[in-house]
Amino acid sequence: MFQLLCFIGSRSTIIFCNHRESVERVHKLLSEKGITSTFYHGAMEQRDREVALAKFRNGSIQFLVTTDLAARGLDITNIRYIIHYHLPATEDIFTHRNGRTARMDASGTAILILNSEEAIPPYISVPVEELTVPEKNAVPEKSKWVTLFVGAGKKDKVNKIDIVGFLTNKGKLKKEDVGLIEVKDFFSFVAVRRNQASHTLQLIKNEKVKGKKIKIEIAK
């Protein structure tokens, strides 16, 4: 897995595992080897799941390790690779996992990782190309984006325009330094350029959004 991710580079990738414990184990392994990822499964708190998906959607993290919970129903675009770390149990699951990529006329690639005792499932009828992965490639670079957590949302009458205005006026960011914004009921997420984040947080730490002092920090 590590060699494969180094080989394909920092393109948006979902890594599917069959068990929650495996998801966290793979995430930890990648972290120990210097690859930044996030993970997603059904035993997580709702807010933690929201943070994980926001980071992946806005490109501040390129690798999402997940169970089949993410195989359907999530609005995530521009996925370049689907990696089946564990083989899916059924053809239906396989189809739904792969459906995360190659959407809206975009191209995508599904990769199966097989051990010596595994074979390509019989329900895969299309030709499968064997991928030779060099043992030594550079660790993928971190994203140029980072996600900020904003402690206000729709219920606080805060919208995307408010957030952009606040960050450009008070935080001295240019509009091109602000990426994807997601506004939830009680909080929001916004991607900003990583090299600008610390300075911006310093500038806005005592400022108010719509007359209210709210919590803004790097999303954890």
Side-chain angles (χ1 to χ4, degrees), residues 40 58 63 69 75 92 105 119 157 179 211 215:
Y40 178 85
N58 66 29
F63 304 113
L69 183 65
D75 181 21
D92 185 56
D105 297 325
K157 302 293 191 284
K215 185 177 185 180

Side-chain angles (χ1 to χ4, degrees), residues 6-81:
C6 291
F7 176 63
I8 66 178
S10 54
R11 304 289 295 275
S12 183
T13 301
I14 300 181
I15 301 158
F16 281 103
C17 301
N18 289 348
H19 313 287
R20 296 168 181 172
E21 296 79 8
S22 303
V23 164
E24 297 196 25
R25 187 175 68 248
V26 170
H27 165 74
K28 182 180 178 182
L29 171 71
L30 295 179
S31 177
E32 289 171 351
K33 288 183 170 289
I35 293 181
T36 303
S37 67
T38 190
F39 66 93
Y40 178 85
H41 59 63
M44 298 167 63
E45 296 290 336
Q46 178 65 29
R47 175 170 155 175
D48 292 336
R49 293 203 300 265
E50 295 273 11
V51 171
L53 291 180
K55 289 179 178 179
F56 186 61
R57 260 195 291 255
N58 66 29
S60 59
I61 287 183
Q62 297 105 327
F63 304 113
L64 174 69
V65 189
T66 182
T67 60
D68 289 316
L69 183 65
R72 60 181 80 193
L74 297 180
D75 181 21
I76 306 174
T77 58
N78 300 318
I79 307 302
R80 183 62 185 83
Y81 292 101

Side-chain angles (χ1 to χ4, degrees), residues 73-108:
L74 297 180
D75 181 21
I76 306 174
T77 58
N78 300 318
I79 307 302
R80 183 62 185 83
Y81 292 101
I82 298 295
I83 297 177
H84 301 272
Y85 184 74
H86 290 140
L87 287 175
T90 67
E91 181 177 5
D92 185 56
I93 294 174
F94 181 70
T95 300
H96 282 292
R97 286 181 178 183
N98 293 340
R100 298 298 88 201
T101 189
R103 307 174 80 188
M104 303 295 288
D105 297 325
S107 62

Side-chain angles (χ1 to χ4, degrees), residues 2 7 61 89 112 122 140 180 209:
F2 172 70
F7 176 63
I61 287 183
L112 301 169
L180 184 70
V209 178

